[in-house]
């Protein structure tokens, strides 16, 4: 298989235990280069845990994850997997952007400084270059003119858009979104989804989005993954999974959330 044909994300047989509680059960997932996949399901189904294993914020109990062909979080030696040191895992995360439910911006920095900080400190980019790209990204997420504004003077939706720009500033191969609108007031959700829609439609970046926004999943995703009780129950195009699900559990979930 050539690198261009190989999926960007390859997850195989993922198990995850917290003590005696198993939260992921043999999860398999491929995500093609440039594809947008939305993961839906009830609370406690393992969606966020799956997402956090993809950049090794959570270790795995069994299985393997490859992104761009590279084994994530581990190295293989003698037929066994050995967990990477944190410094090595951090290097891998440079190619994997993540946007969380809560924005976690630095309050003492302006919007532009928040976006430019990691490229300057971590990737050692020239400050002038990093700030210029940060300004481009803020304009892309609809925040031109807000470069010198501190987070406390931005709405929740604006702060989340800064967080998206911050993740994009590292020029990642993959973007992971963990319920990016769940902490927002309802009237602010649309502006964040519009930015994510633009990212998906522009193409070139691989996106995995854990979301409860079924309409967004229908409109933007190439495929939808439905999870329940730590397992992938159903995967397919939005028209199939959301409008004509094959599994009874998927139908029950959608009938509950869409009524």
């Amino acid at each position: 298989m050539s690198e261009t044909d190989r999926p960007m994300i390859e997850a195989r047989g993922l198990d995850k235990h917290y003590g005696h509680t198993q939260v992921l059960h043999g999860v398999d997932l491929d995500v093609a280069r440039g594809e947008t996949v939305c993961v839906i399901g009830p609370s406690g189904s393992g969606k966020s845990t799956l997402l956090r294993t993809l950049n090794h914020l959570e270790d795995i109990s069994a299985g393997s994850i490859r992104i761009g062909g590279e084994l994530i979080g581990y190295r293989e030696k003698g037929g066994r997997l050995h967990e990477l040191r944190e410094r090595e895992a951090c290097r891998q995360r440079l190619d994997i952007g993540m946007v969380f439910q809560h924005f976690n911006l630095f309050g003492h920095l302006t919007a532009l400084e928040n976006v430019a900080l990691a490229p300057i400190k971590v990737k050692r980019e020239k400050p002038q270059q990093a700030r210029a790209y940060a300004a481009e990204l803020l304009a892309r997420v609809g925040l031109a003119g807000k470069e010198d504004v501190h987070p406390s003077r931005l709405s929740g939706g604006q702060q989340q858009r800064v967080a998206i720009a911050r993740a994009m500033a590292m020029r990642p191969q993959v973007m992971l979104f963990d319920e990016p609108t769940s902490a927002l007031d309802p009237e602010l959700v649309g502006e964040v989804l519009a930015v994510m829609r633009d990212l998906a439609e522009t193409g070139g970046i691989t996106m995995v989005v854990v979301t409860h926004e079924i309409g967004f999943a229908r409109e933007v995703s190439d495929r939808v993954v439905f999870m329940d009780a730590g397992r992938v129950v159903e995967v397919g195009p939005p028209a199939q999974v959301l409008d004509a699900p094959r599994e009874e559990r998927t139908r029950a979930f959608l009938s509950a959330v869409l009524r």
Side-chain angles (χ1 to χ4, degrees), residues 16-23 25:
K16 173 63 181 176
H17 297 265
Y18 293 109
H20 296 297
T21 302
Q22 187 169 354
V23 295
H25 298 261

Side-chain angles (χ1 to χ4, degrees), residues 36 38 192-194 196-197 200 207 209 211 213-221 242:
T36 298
C38 286
V192 174
L193 294 181
M196 296 171 62
R197 187 178 297 110
M207 294 171 51
V209 183
T211 184
E213 300 286 346
I214 302 300
F216 175 79
R218 177 182 283 109
E219 179 183 350
V220 171
S221 63
L242 301 179

Side-chain angles (χ1 to χ4, degrees), residues 80-211:
R80 300 184 63 183
L81 295 182
H82 302 267
E83 190 168 7
L84 296 179
R85 295 176 180 175
E86 182 59 22
R87 183 173 181 177
E88 296 170 298
C90 287
R91 179 195 60 77
Q92 291 185 327
R93 293 190 193 111
L94 296 179
D95 290 327
I96 309 169
M98 188 157 184
V99 178
F100 299 90
Q101 297 178 25
H102 300 284
F103 332 120
N104 298 319
L105 301 177
F106 292 107
H108 66 291
L109 300 180
T110 65
L112 188 138
E113 289 168 340
N114 267 281
V115 176
L117 181 64
I120 294 171
K121 296 294 187 181
V122 179
K123 298 187 79 172
R124 304 299 182 188
E125 290 185 11
K126 295 180 179 178
Q128 184 177 359
Q129 173 187 330
R131 287 194 288 266
Y133 187 49
E136 288 180 26
L137 290 172
L138 287 172
R140 182 174 178 182
V141 300
L143 293 176
K146 300 290 188 182
E147 294 87 354
D148 297 327
V149 178
H150 286 79
S152 62
R153 301 193 62 184
L154 297 173
S155 71
Q158 290 171 329
Q159 290 184 60
Q160 189 63 293
R161 284 186 278 157
V162 173
I164 293 172
R166 178 179 59 184
M168 292 292 295
M170 298 295 283
R171 296 177 172 84
Q173 298 183 77
V174 172
M175 284 283 286
L176 309 176
F177 295 85
D178 187 9
E179 296 276 16
T181 61
S182 65
L184 300 178
D185 292 334
E187 64 268 23
L188 302 177
V189 168
E191 62 189 56
V192 174
L193 294 181
V195 169
M196 296 171 62
R197 187 178 297 110
D198 175 69
L199 291 177
E201 292 172 352
T202 301
I205 189 163
T206 306
M207 294 171 51
V208 182
V209 183
V210 169
T211 184

